[in-house]
Amino acid sequence: SYKKLTVASSGISGYSFEALRTPVSAPLLEEVLGCLSAEMGEPWLQDIRIRLADPADKSANLFLVCRDSSGEIVSNTWIGWDGGQPPGERIGLLGHVVTLLPHRRKGLATRVVELAME
């Protein structure tokens, strides 16, 4: 199961933010990827599924998601830390920043990236 982390008030009316540390349950992962699928092709999404399902993957992953007032994920980003590097070295990755078209120009993507960097 996943660990839901509490995120402080976003300051953006009508939206809530949450951080989800992997491993993420399959239904929740599909919900997160549903937001991505509006902008990215299935091969990209399959790559994400494979990476997160690989027990040999030594990275830590965190999804920062934004939900609208109905609870639908409308914006998200992913941040990962590759733990497979030599001792003392880590690579940080930030990507998959997506906001669904009807919710753009409201600062949602900016906020999920800011939260990912905290």
Side-chain angles (χ1 to χ4, degrees):
S1 70
Y2 74 98
K3 180 177 181 183
K4 181 178 174 181
L5 307 171
T6 303
V7 175
S9 172
S10 68
I12 302 174
S13 180
Y15 295 93
S16 62
F17 294 80
E18 60 190 69
L20 309 170
R21 186 173 306 281
T22 58
V24 176
S25 68
L28 182 59
L29 178 60
E30 290 308 312
E31 183 183 6
V32 171
L33 295 181
C35 180
L36 292 171
S37 70
E39 301 297 324
M40 306 163 92
E42 185 57 34
W44 190 284
L45 299 176
Q46 188 60 23
D47 179 66
I48 297 168
R49 287 185 191 100
I50 290 168
R51 177 181 168 86
L52 295 178
D54 182 1
D57 186 349
K58 302 292 188 234
S59 56
N61 297 281
L62 182 70
F63 288 98
L64 275 291
V65 301
C66 172
R67 295 181 185 273
D68 66 8
S69 58
S70 73
E72 177 186 1
I73 294 175
V74 297
S75 184
N76 70 277
T77 191
W78 163 83
I79 188 166
W81 300 270
D82 187 347
Q85 300 300 312
E89 294 184 31
R90 291 173 53 157
I91 296 174
L93 307 167
L94 175 77
H96 311 306
V97 181
V98 174
T99 299
L100 299 180
L101 188 58
H103 300 275
R104 292 185 184 163
R105 314 280 314 150
K106 298 178 182 179
L108 303 177
T110 298
R111 188 66 184 129
V112 294
V113 170
E114 288 172 349
L115 292 167
M117 300 304 289
E118 289 181 358

